[in-house]
């Protein structure tokens, strides 16, 4: 089978953890152990989140006096290289028969998309609520409430095209495990001057679903820290949804800042391709693929 497995940001840095290299290496080791069974018996593409990492780099860049802060597309590329390196390193230690390659991936977006007027995509850490006005004043950030704190949000336009798809196909056909599309890919536009980066973050799950469809993948796995999609979350009658079709869901009922984008991407992939989409814990990746865990969505 050809499988695209998308790792949520919490697979690399858990909520509340300090973004140290030690914490990320420890979490990547756990992720790699869960991905090995998929890699051994399938053609595997691994995408990953980078919200905490790109937010930290943006904050560090903005804190250097006298030097203009790096734009988000360059910071995205930095995190892609860093996280891809860690995943590739750990997989290479565990896979004796397959090569692993990390590919920095661009994603074309529309510069006139309305998303640029209404930033919604959270990146970076959760800051104490009392710092909200100071963060707005110092950095000009758009901020939203996240629990008891605040978090930076940026534009999140939909992905239109993935220029590196031909290279990904070549690697897959050669039997290589491909790590790519980090953080939803690096958002770019093509104009009369050539390729240019833009201040945005493409949703990782939407990009992963598009990539899976374009690659003709049999399955899309959206892996997070939740065991499955929960119906009635926050109420007294919570239940795990194990097997479903896209028509079983009212997407408006699901948190757009959490499980909502994953569910939307999974349903879109199932409808568009007839393939299997699964949502669940990273540790259950193989069981989700085989229909024994998580939420499995079929057309």
């Amino acid at each position: 089978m050809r499988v695209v497995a998308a790792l949520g940001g919490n697979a690399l840095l858990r909520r509340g953890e300090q973004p140290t290299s030690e914490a990320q290496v420890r979490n990547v080791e756990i992720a790699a152990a869960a991905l090995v069974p998929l890699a051994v018996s399938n053609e595997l593409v691994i995408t990953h989140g980078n919200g905490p990492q790109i937010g930290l780099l943006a904050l560090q860049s903005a804190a250097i006096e006298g030097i203009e802060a790096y734009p988000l597309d360059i910071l995205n590329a930095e995190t892609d290289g860093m996280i891809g390196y860690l995943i590739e390193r750990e997989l290479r230690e565990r896979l004796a028969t397959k090569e692993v390659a990390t590919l920095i991936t661009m994603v074309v977006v529309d510069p006139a998309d309305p998303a640029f007027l209404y930033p919604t995509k959270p990146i970076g850490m959760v800051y104490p609520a009392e710092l909200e006005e100071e963060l707005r004043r110092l950095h000009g950030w758009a901020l939203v409430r996240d629990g008891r704190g605040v978090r930076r949000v940026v534009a999140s336009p939909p992905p239109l095209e993935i220029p590196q798809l031909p290279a990904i196909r070549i690697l897959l056909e050669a039997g290589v495990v491909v790590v790519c599309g980090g953080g939803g890919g690096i958002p770019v536009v093509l104009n009369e001057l050539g390729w240019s980066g833009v201040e945005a973050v493409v949703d990782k799950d939407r990009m992963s679903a598009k990539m899976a469809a374009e690659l003709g993948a049999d399955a899309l796995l959206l892996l997070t820290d939740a065991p499955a999609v929960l119906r009635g979350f926050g109420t007294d009658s919570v239940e795990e949804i194990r097997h479903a079709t896209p028509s079983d869901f009212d997407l408006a009922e699901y948190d757009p800042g959490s499980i909502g984008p994953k569910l939307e991407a999974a349903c879109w992939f199932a409808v568009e391709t007839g393939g299997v989409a699964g949502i669940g814990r990273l540790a259950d990746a193989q069981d989700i693929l085989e229909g024994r865990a998580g939420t499995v969505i079929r057309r």
Side-chain angles (χ1 to χ4, degrees):
M1 295 178 67
R2 180 167 288 185
V3 179
V4 173
L7 309 186
N10 46 35
L12 305 168
L13 195 66
R14 302 178 192 280
R15 179 174 284 268
E17 275 188 322
Q18 291 297 313
T20 63
S21 60
E22 292 83 0
Q24 294 179 82
V25 168
R26 182 172 62 251
N27 290 327
V28 168
E29 288 174 348
I30 296 170
L35 292 169
V36 164
L38 294 178
V40 168
S41 54
N42 301 285
E43 293 182 346
L44 180 62
V45 174
I46 301 166
T47 64
H48 58 82
N50 70 344
Q53 292 83 4
I54 195 172
L56 177 62
L57 286 181
L59 183 63
Q60 291 173 336
S61 178
I64 302 175
E65 293 185 7
I67 299 178
E68 187 175 353
Y70 275 33
L72 280 180
D73 62 309
I74 293 179
L75 297 179
N76 199 334
E78 290 184 19
T79 62
D80 286 4
M82 175 186 71
I83 297 170
Y85 155 68
L86 293 176
I87 295 173
E88 180 177 337
R89 187 181 74 181
E90 295 303 323
L91 284 177
R92 280 182 174 274
E93 290 186 4
R94 293 166 171 80
L95 290 172
T97 60
K98 286 199 172 185
E99 282 294 323
V100 185
T102 299
L103 188 65
I104 303 299
T105 314
M106 298 187 297
V107 175
V108 179
V109 300
D110 181 358
D113 193 283
F116 286 99
L117 300 177
Y118 306 100
T120 58
K121 184 67 173 177
I123 65 170
M125 300 174 292
V126 177
Y127 299 93
E130 56 268 24
L131 295 180
E132 180 174 357
E133 291 306 317
E134 183 179 357
L135 291 169
R136 291 184 190 275
R137 178 177 56 82
L138 288 176
H139 306 302
W141 290 350
L143 297 161
V144 295
R145 292 282 171 165
D146 187 317
R148 296 182 178 179
V150 294
R151 200 172 180 198
R152 183 186 178 188
V153 289
V154 299
S156 184
L160 301 180
E161 183 184 346
I162 304 170
Q164 278 75 32
L165 274 176
I168 295 170
R169 289 193 184 96
I170 291 170
L171 290 169
L172 285 175
E173 290 165 4
V176 177
V177 176
V178 183
V179 183
C180 62
I186 302 165
V188 297
V189 296
L190 184 59
N191 53 36
E192 63 276 7
L193 300 177
W195 295 105
S196 299
V198 292
E199 286 288 284
V201 171
V202 176
D203 181 79
K204 167 188 58 65
D205 298 311
R206 295 177 76 176
M207 187 283 305
S208 298
K210 182 173 181 60
M211 178 181 289
E214 295 281 350
L215 290 173
D218 302 289
L220 169 67
L221 303 181
L222 303 175
L223 304 171
T224 180
D225 59 353
V229 177
L230 303 177
R231 180 176 282 119
F233 182 75
T235 70
D236 294 332
S237 56
V238 178
E239 62 172 324
E240 292 186 3
I241 302 171
R242 298 302 308 280
H243 296 272
T245 66
S247 61
D248 292 329
F249 299 102
D250 179 357
L251 295 178
E253 295 179 0
Y254 295 89
D255 184 0
S258 179
I259 199 68
K262 289 180 170 54
L263 187 54
E264 179 184 0
C267 290
W268 179 88
F269 174 78
V271 169
E272 290 293 315
T273 71
V276 177
I279 301 174
R281 278 191 296 240
L282 172 61
D284 298 332
Q286 183 67 32
D287 287 337
I288 296 169
L289 183 61
E290 297 175 0
R292 297 193 302 268
T295 298
V296 178
I297 301 170
R298 301 176 187 270
R299 185 169 62 187

